[in-house]
Amino acid sequence: MRLHNIIVVVLLLTTLLTVGSPTAGAQSDSYYFPETGHTIGGRFLQYWQQHGGLAQQGYPLSDEVQERSDTDGKVYTVQYFERAVFELHPENQPPNDVLLSLLGNFRYQQLYPNGAPNQQVSAENPRHFAETGKFISGKFRAYWEQHGGLAQQGYPISNEFQETGTDGVSRTVQYFERAVFEMHPENADTPYDVLLTQLGTLRYHAPLPNMNLFSLSMVSPTEGWAVGDKGVILHYTGGRWRQTASPVQAGYLGSISMTSPTDGWAVGGDNVLRYSNGVWQDASNMFASLSNGAPSPYRHGLSSVDMISPDAGWMIANGDFILRYSNGQWTFDYSYGNPKLTGAILANLKMLSANEGWAVGSLDILHYQNGSWTTSYSPVLGREQSIGVVNFAASSSSDVWAVGVNGLLMHYNGSEWSVVPSVTGETVGSAYMISLAEGWAVGGEGTILHYSGNKWTTYNSPTSKSLNAVKMVSPTEGWAVGEAGTILHYENGTWSIYQQ
């Protein structure tokens, strides 16, 4: 069986490198692969043919797509293959106008954030790389040198170690920036005793984590982010959601706010991250030594962040303090200090501009205008023990909605708040207003509410999982996220479960 597979590979390789499968009506610089239903063309095809073809790169898994890089945050034309992802860099002269994504780096950081255990250096012809402190030797060194070296594989980022593959077999492997080498002793005395892990396949078809998602931020119809339990970060780009590297080691991320495709913040508990230069990084060094008599520390109990620009935003800490971001630092802005309740009080905030915003908790609603926070709504104790508000949506400064526990719906008309009759008994955790006349809200047990015709109605939901956040990118498209990694997509009048 092994010999048969090898012969098949050799025959396919010979065929594809010499003839290929021309797309009907296309020129010879474009080839269609019926095995996967995708086409390689132009500069990507040239690179594929010149760098090992099927044996080294594998079949195409996608057509060309636009995708933001996790390396530098820039958008590139890319194409997925079984063992690599090609990036087009027209700013570079050939042959460097096609580069491979750093898939080895991505997977190594995801699987081994503290480094892989039990790494060893073989004594067979070792070569040391001062750039990473690692060695390559033996058959791995021979393969590296014969198959593109630094340009194709990148530097070694680990030494050799044992890893159990997706097929359940333990093998000797070594990670490089753009590849993972696998030792296959069952193919001894053939050219296939060293094979490349199908990193392109793993990344393209990677299942999304089964973790609760708490917050969502869409910066355009083609790009967005979601965060949740255990610091998970999902990125929507190239028409797909996928997990990206997170520096969070413990805890969660409960709120995310992006000001642009290249700048944003995410917080939760003791974690505070900033997205810059294509990477999420710990940003706790941006908390100044705060004054104004409020107790410290402030970098705890972070529950909500809302940025209005890369240089201005607000955050809630410890359920009691509102922090403001300006001049590159988070500084003290307001202390709630409400004696009526103990524990966490403020939970979420929504800023409409640099001069107006709202903060909400389990009792009161605060209004920010012209540099100061004041109480906008407070129930009469004994008649309303708690409003239980958890989130906001606004289409203008005179049209604001607050949603909360037990299906609470409240509306602000520019002068006062009023409670609107509920259409559900479930907690409504998030709302988004497209306009004065239309909006959406989501909540517990898969609850979806639609605002149209000056009233809220329930919408038939495709899930029973609790939904924690909703964002619309247009009147006809939007997203919702929630329990156990649930992602819903709204398109052309229907909410459906997103399939990877």
Side-chain angles (χ1 to χ4, degrees), residues 423-450:
V423 295
T424 179
E426 298 293 338
T427 292
V428 183
S430 177
Y432 188 93
M433 299 305 296
I434 302 168
S435 66
L436 288 169
E438 187 172 11
W440 293 91
V442 299
E445 303 296 326
T447 295
I448 300 177
L449 306 181
H450 186 208

PDB file of all heavy atoms in Angstrom, residues 423-450:
ATOM      1  N   VAL A 423     -40.927  41.163  25.574  1.00  0.00           N
ATOM      2  CA  VAL A 423     -41.461  40.107  24.718  1.00  0.00           C
ATOM      3  C   VAL A 423     -40.774  38.771  24.991  1.00  0.00           C
ATOM      4  O   VAL A 423     -41.005  37.799  24.271  1.00  0.00           O
ATOM      5  CB  VAL A 423     -41.306  40.477  23.221  1.00  0.00           C
ATOM      6  CG1 VAL A 423     -42.144  41.700  22.889  1.00  0.00           C
ATOM      7  CG2 VAL A 423     -39.837  40.733  22.866  1.00  0.00           C
ATOM      8  N   THR A 424     -39.924  38.712  26.027  1.00  0.00           N
ATOM      9  CA  THR A 424     -39.249  37.483  26.414  1.00  0.00           C
ATOM     10  C   THR A 424     -38.937  37.524  27.897  1.00  0.00           C
ATOM     11  O   THR A 424     -38.798  38.609  28.480  1.00  0.00           O
ATOM     12  CB  THR A 424     -37.940  37.271  25.630  1.00  0.00           C
ATOM     13  OG1 THR A 424     -37.312  36.060  26.066  1.00  0.00           O
ATOM     14  CG2 THR A 424     -36.973  38.426  25.850  1.00  0.00           C
ATOM     15  N   GLY A 425     -38.831  36.360  28.499  1.00  0.00           N
ATOM     16  CA  GLY A 425     -38.430  36.282  29.894  1.00  0.00           C
ATOM     17  C   GLY A 425     -36.957  36.000  30.064  1.00  0.00           C
ATOM     18  O   GLY A 425     -36.442  35.982  31.183  1.00  0.00           O
ATOM     19  N   GLU A 426     -36.253  35.793  28.950  1.00  0.00           N
ATOM     20  CA  GLU A 426     -34.825  35.513  29.001  1.00  0.00           C
ATOM     21  C   GLU A 426     -34.017  36.803  29.139  1.00  0.00           C
ATOM     22  O   GLU A 426     -34.464  37.879  28.721  1.00  0.00           O
ATOM     23  CB  GLU A 426     -34.386  34.787  27.721  1.00  0.00           C
ATOM     24  CG  GLU A 426     -35.033  33.434  27.507  1.00  0.00           C
ATOM     25  CD  GLU A 426     -34.601  32.413  28.540  1.00  0.00           C
ATOM     26  OE1 GLU A 426     -33.529  32.594  29.142  1.00  0.00           O
ATOM     27  OE2 GLU A 426     -35.334  31.417  28.723  1.00  0.00           O
ATOM     28  N   THR A 427     -32.833  36.683  29.726  1.00  0.00           N
ATOM     29  CA  THR A 427     -31.927  37.819  29.773  1.00  0.00           C
ATOM     30  C   THR A 427     -31.524  38.218  28.359  1.00  0.00           C
ATOM     31  O   THR A 427     -31.162  37.371  27.534  1.00  0.00           O
ATOM     32  CB  THR A 427     -30.662  37.477  30.576  1.00  0.00           C
ATOM     33  OG1 THR A 427     -31.014  37.300  31.939  1.00  0.00           O
ATOM     34  CG2 THR A 427     -29.619  38.587  30.466  1.00  0.00           C
ATOM     35  N   VAL A 428     -31.629  39.507  28.079  1.00  0.00           N
ATOM     36  CA  VAL A 428     -31.195  40.044  26.786  1.00  0.00           C
ATOM     37  C   VAL A 428     -29.835  40.691  27.011  1.00  0.00           C
ATOM     38  O   VAL A 428     -29.722  41.689  27.717  1.00  0.00           O
ATOM     39  CB  VAL A 428     -32.214  41.057  26.231  1.00  0.00           C
ATOM     40  CG1 VAL A 428     -31.766  41.546  24.852  1.00  0.00           C
ATOM     41  CG2 VAL A 428     -33.600  40.419  26.142  1.00  0.00           C
ATOM     42  N   GLY A 429     -28.798  40.107  26.434  1.00  0.00           N
ATOM     43  CA  GLY A 429     -27.446  40.528  26.763  1.00  0.00           C
ATOM     44  C   GLY A 429     -26.821  41.536  25.837  1.00  0.00           C
ATOM     45  O   GLY A 429     -25.833  42.174  26.177  1.00  0.00           O
ATOM     46  N   SER A 430     -27.393  41.717  24.631  1.00  0.00           N
ATOM     47  CA  SER A 430     -26.766  42.608  23.664  1.00  0.00           C
ATOM     48  C   SER A 430     -27.804  43.077  22.652  1.00  0.00           C
ATOM     49  O   SER A 430     -28.730  42.341  22.307  1.00  0.00           O
ATOM     50  CB  SER A 430     -25.629  41.884  22.924  1.00  0.00           C
ATOM     51  OG  SER A 430     -25.048  42.690  21.927  1.00  0.00           O
ATOM     52  N   ALA A 431     -27.654  44.319  22.198  1.00  0.00           N
ATOM     53  CA  ALA A 431     -28.547  44.864  21.175  1.00  0.00           C
ATOM     54  C   ALA A 431     -27.742  45.731  20.218  1.00  0.00           C
ATOM     55  O   ALA A 431     -26.689  46.275  20.583  1.00  0.00           O
ATOM     56  CB  ALA A 431     -29.668  45.683  21.804  1.00  0.00           C
ATOM     57  N   TYR A 432     -28.232  45.856  19.005  1.00  0.00           N
ATOM     58  CA  TYR A 432     -27.585  46.704  18.006  1.00  0.00           C
ATOM     59  C   TYR A 432     -28.664  47.360  17.163  1.00  0.00           C
ATOM     60  O   TYR A 432     -29.512  46.680  16.577  1.00  0.00           O
ATOM     61  CB  TYR A 432     -26.653  45.889  17.107  1.00  0.00           C
ATOM     62  CG  TYR A 432     -25.818  46.750  16.186  1.00  0.00           C
ATOM     63  CD1 TYR A 432     -24.546  47.158  16.572  1.00  0.00           C
ATOM     64  CD2 TYR A 432     -26.295  47.162  14.950  1.00  0.00           C
ATOM     65  CE1 TYR A 432     -23.776  47.961  15.746  1.00  0.00           C
ATOM     66  CE2 TYR A 432     -25.532  47.955  14.111  1.00  0.00           C
ATOM     67  CZ  TYR A 432     -24.277  48.358  14.515  1.00  0.00           C
ATOM     68  OH  TYR A 432     -23.508  49.142  13.700  1.00  0.00           O
ATOM     69  N   MET A 433     -28.648  48.695  17.107  1.00  0.00           N
ATOM     70  CA  MET A 433     -29.626  49.435  16.318  1.00  0.00           C
ATOM     71  C   MET A 433     -29.012  49.838  14.979  1.00  0.00           C
ATOM     72  O   MET A 433     -27.966  50.496  14.920  1.00  0.00           O
ATOM     73  CB  MET A 433     -30.088  50.677  17.069  1.00  0.00           C
ATOM     74  CG  MET A 433     -30.770  50.386  18.402  1.00  0.00           C
ATOM     75  SD  MET A 433     -32.172  49.234  18.291  1.00  0.00           S
ATOM     76  CE  MET A 433     -33.292  50.208  17.255  1.00  0.00           C
ATOM     77  N   ILE A 434     -29.658  49.414  13.902  1.00  0.00           N
ATOM     78  CA  ILE A 434     -29.224  49.786  12.564  1.00  0.00           C
ATOM     79  C   ILE A 434     -29.664  51.211  12.255  1.00  0.00           C
ATOM     80  O   ILE A 434     -28.945  51.985  11.617  1.00  0.00           O
ATOM     81  CB  ILE A 434     -29.817  48.819  11.532  1.00  0.00           C
ATOM     82  CG1 ILE A 434     -29.398  47.380  11.858  1.00  0.00           C
ATOM     83  CG2 ILE A 434     -29.401  49.187  10.118  1.00  0.00           C
ATOM     84  CD1 ILE A 434     -30.157  46.330  11.083  1.00  0.00           C
ATOM     85  N   SER A 435     -30.860  51.560  12.730  1.00  0.00           N
ATOM     86  CA  SER A 435     -31.430  52.885  12.517  1.00  0.00           C
ATOM     87  C   SER A 435     -32.490  53.121  13.582  1.00  0.00           C
ATOM     88  O   SER A 435     -32.709  52.274  14.456  1.00  0.00           O
ATOM     89  CB  SER A 435     -32.058  52.975  11.124  1.00  0.00           C
ATOM     90  OG  SER A 435     -33.180  52.098  11.023  1.00  0.00           O
ATOM     91  N   LEU A 436     -33.164  54.265  13.511  1.00  0.00           N
ATOM     92  CA  LEU A 436     -34.264  54.525  14.438  1.00  0.00           C
ATOM     93  C   LEU A 436     -35.373  53.482  14.304  1.00  0.00           C
ATOM     94  O   LEU A 436     -36.105  53.211  15.266  1.00  0.00           O
ATOM     95  CB  LEU A 436     -34.857  55.908  14.164  1.00  0.00           C
ATOM     96  CG  LEU A 436     -34.030  57.127  14.570  1.00  0.00           C
ATOM     97  CD1 LEU A 436     -34.654  58.390  13.984  1.00  0.00           C
ATOM     98  CD2 LEU A 436     -33.931  57.232  16.072  1.00  0.00           C
ATOM     99  N   ALA A 437     -35.481  52.891  13.135  1.00  0.00           N
ATOM    100  CA  ALA A 437     -36.615  52.020  12.856  1.00  0.00           C
ATOM    101  C   ALA A 437     -36.285  50.531  12.894  1.00  0.00           C
ATOM    102  O   ALA A 437     -37.196  49.712  12.800  1.00  0.00           O
ATOM    103  CB  ALA A 437     -37.211  52.357  11.493  1.00  0.00           C
ATOM    104  N   GLU A 438     -34.996  50.183  13.034  1.00  0.00           N
ATOM    105  CA  GLU A 438     -34.676  48.756  12.975  1.00  0.00           C
ATOM    106  C   GLU A 438     -33.481  48.431  13.856  1.00  0.00           C
ATOM    107  O   GLU A 438     -32.509  49.180  13.940  1.00  0.00           O
ATOM    108  CB  GLU A 438     -34.380  48.306  11.542  1.00  0.00           C
ATOM    109  CG  GLU A 438     -34.204  46.792  11.434  1.00  0.00           C
ATOM    110  CD  GLU A 438     -34.099  46.305  10.006  1.00  0.00           C
ATOM    111  OE1 GLU A 438     -33.944  47.159   9.096  1.00  0.00           O
ATOM    112  OE2 GLU A 438     -34.175  45.079   9.788  1.00  0.00           O
ATOM    113  N   GLY A 439     -33.564  47.260  14.510  1.00  0.00           N
ATOM    114  CA  GLY A 439     -32.479  46.789  15.340  1.00  0.00           C
ATOM    115  C   GLY A 439     -32.654  45.329  15.710  1.00  0.00           C
ATOM    116  O   GLY A 439     -33.697  44.712  15.449  1.00  0.00           O
ATOM    117  N   TRP A 440     -31.628  44.770  16.352  1.00  0.00           N
ATOM    118  CA  TRP A 440     -31.634  43.375  16.775  1.00  0.00           C
ATOM    119  C   TRP A 440     -31.125  43.271  18.204  1.00  0.00           C
ATOM    120  O   TRP A 440     -30.305  44.080  18.638  1.00  0.00           O
ATOM    121  CB  TRP A 440     -30.757  42.523  15.866  1.00  0.00           C
ATOM    122  CG  TRP A 440     -31.269  42.393  14.467  1.00  0.00           C
ATOM    123  CD1 TRP A 440     -30.976  43.201  13.406  1.00  0.00           C
ATOM    124  CD2 TRP A 440     -32.164  41.396  13.970  1.00  0.00           C
ATOM    125  NE1 TRP A 440     -31.633  42.777  12.282  1.00  0.00           N
ATOM    126  CE2 TRP A 440     -32.373  41.658  12.595  1.00  0.00           C
ATOM    127  CE3 TRP A 440     -32.822  40.307  14.548  1.00  0.00           C
ATOM    128  CZ2 TRP A 440     -33.192  40.871  11.795  1.00  0.00           C
ATOM    129  CZ3 TRP A 440     -33.636  39.518  13.745  1.00  0.00           C
ATOM    130  CH2 TRP A 440     -33.820  39.799  12.398  1.00  0.00           C
ATOM    131  N   ALA A 441     -31.588  42.261  18.926  1.00  0.00           N
ATOM    132  CA  ALA A 441     -31.105  41.976  20.280  1.00  0.00           C
ATOM    133  C   ALA A 441     -31.032  40.470  20.450  1.00  0.00           C
ATOM    134  O   ALA A 441     -31.809  39.716  19.828  1.00  0.00           O
ATOM    135  CB  ALA A 441     -32.025  42.587  21.333  1.00  0.00           C
ATOM    136  N   VAL A 442     -30.090  40.004  21.284  1.00  0.00           N
ATOM    137  CA  VAL A 442     -29.916  38.568  21.516  1.00  0.00           C
ATOM    138  C   VAL A 442     -29.755  38.310  23.002  1.00  0.00           C
ATOM    139  O   VAL A 442     -29.406  39.210  23.784  1.00  0.00           O
ATOM    140  CB  VAL A 442     -28.699  38.019  20.751  1.00  0.00           C
ATOM    141  CG1 VAL A 442     -28.868  38.210  19.248  1.00  0.00           C
ATOM    142  CG2 VAL A 442     -27.403  38.687  21.226  1.00  0.00           C
ATOM    143  N   GLY A 443     -29.994  37.043  23.397  1.00  0.00           N
ATOM    144  CA  GLY A 443     -29.892  36.723  24.811  1.00  0.00           C
ATOM    145  C   GLY A 443     -29.918  35.240  25.096  1.00  0.00           C
ATOM    146  O   GLY A 443     -29.530  34.411  24.264  1.00  0.00           O
ATOM    147  N   GLY A 444     -30.375  34.895  26.312  1.00  0.00           N
ATOM    148  CA  GLY A 444     -30.342  33.532  26.805  1.00  0.00           C
ATOM    149  C   GLY A 444     -31.174  32.572  25.974  1.00  0.00           C
ATOM    150  O   GLY A 444     -32.167  32.952  25.353  1.00  0.00           O
ATOM    151  N   GLU A 445     -30.722  31.288  25.989  1.00  0.00           N
ATOM    152  CA  GLU A 445     -31.445  30.212  25.299  1.00  0.00           C
ATOM    153  C   GLU A 445     -31.657  30.499  23.815  1.00  0.00           C
ATOM    154  O   GLU A 445     -32.651  30.096  23.220  1.00  0.00           O
ATOM    155  CB  GLU A 445     -32.799  29.954  25.976  1.00  0.00           C
ATOM    156  CG  GLU A 445     -32.713  29.599  27.449  1.00  0.00           C
ATOM    157  CD  GLU A 445     -31.989  28.290  27.697  1.00  0.00           C
ATOM    158  OE1 GLU A 445     -32.128  27.391  26.859  1.00  0.00           O
ATOM    159  OE2 GLU A 445     -31.276  28.174  28.716  1.00  0.00           O
ATOM    160  N   GLY A 446     -30.704  31.214  23.205  1.00  0.00           N
ATOM    161  CA  GLY A 446     -30.790  31.484  21.777  1.00  0.00           C
ATOM    162  C   GLY A 446     -31.765  32.577  21.394  1.00  0.00           C
ATOM    163  O   GLY A 446     -32.107  32.718  20.211  1.00  0.00           O
ATOM    164  N   THR A 447     -32.202  33.372  22.370  1.00  0.00           N
ATOM    165  CA  THR A 447     -33.185  34.427  22.102  1.00  0.00           C
ATOM    166  C   THR A 447     -32.685  35.416  21.052  1.00  0.00           C
ATOM    167  O   THR A 447     -31.567  35.927  21.143  1.00  0.00           O
ATOM    168  CB  THR A 447     -33.524  35.188  23.391  1.00  0.00           C
ATOM    169  OG1 THR A 447     -34.167  34.294  24.297  1.00  0.00           O
ATOM    170  CG2 THR A 447     -34.443  36.365  23.113  1.00  0.00           C
ATOM    171  N   ILE A 448     -33.528  35.704  20.058  1.00  0.00           N
ATOM    172  CA  ILE A 448     -33.268  36.747  19.069  1.00  0.00           C
ATOM    173  C   ILE A 448     -34.518  37.622  18.983  1.00  0.00           C
ATOM    174  O   ILE A 448     -35.628  37.113  18.787  1.00  0.00           O
ATOM    175  CB  ILE A 448     -32.952  36.169  17.676  1.00  0.00           C
ATOM    176  CG1 ILE A 448     -31.712  35.271  17.734  1.00  0.00           C
ATOM    177  CG2 ILE A 448     -32.732  37.293  16.667  1.00  0.00           C
ATOM    178  CD1 ILE A 448     -31.383  34.610  16.404  1.00  0.00           C
ATOM    179  N   LEU A 449     -34.324  38.927  19.159  1.00  0.00           N
ATOM    180  CA  LEU A 449     -35.426  39.886  19.056  1.00  0.00           C
ATOM    181  C   LEU A 449     -35.154  40.830  17.886  1.00  0.00           C
ATOM    182  O   LEU A 449     -34.004  41.216  17.643  1.00  0.00           O
ATOM    183  CB  LEU A 449     -35.568  40.698  20.344  1.00  0.00           C
ATOM    184  CG  LEU A 449     -35.720  39.921  21.652  1.00  0.00           C
ATOM    185  CD1 LEU A 449     -35.865  40.891  22.827  1.00  0.00           C
ATOM    186  CD2 LEU A 449     -36.906  38.971  21.594  1.00  0.00           C
ATOM    187  N   HIS A 450     -36.224  41.220  17.202  1.00  0.00           N
ATOM    188  CA  HIS A 450     -36.111  42.129  16.072  1.00  0.00           C
ATOM    189  C   HIS A 450     -36.980  43.355  16.337  1.00  0.00           C
ATOM    190  O   HIS A 450     -38.144  43.226  16.711  1.00  0.00           O
ATOM    191  CB  HIS A 450     -36.567  41.430  14.785  1.00  0.00           C
ATOM    192  CG  HIS A 450     -36.342  42.249  13.559  1.00  0.00           C
ATOM    193  ND1 HIS A 450     -37.122  42.118  12.422  1.00  0.00           N
ATOM    194  CD2 HIS A 450     -35.430  43.219  13.265  1.00  0.00           C
ATOM    195  CE1 HIS A 450     -36.690  42.949  11.496  1.00  0.00           C
ATOM    196  NE2 HIS A 450     -35.668  43.633  11.985  1.00  0.00           N
TER     197      HIS A 450
END
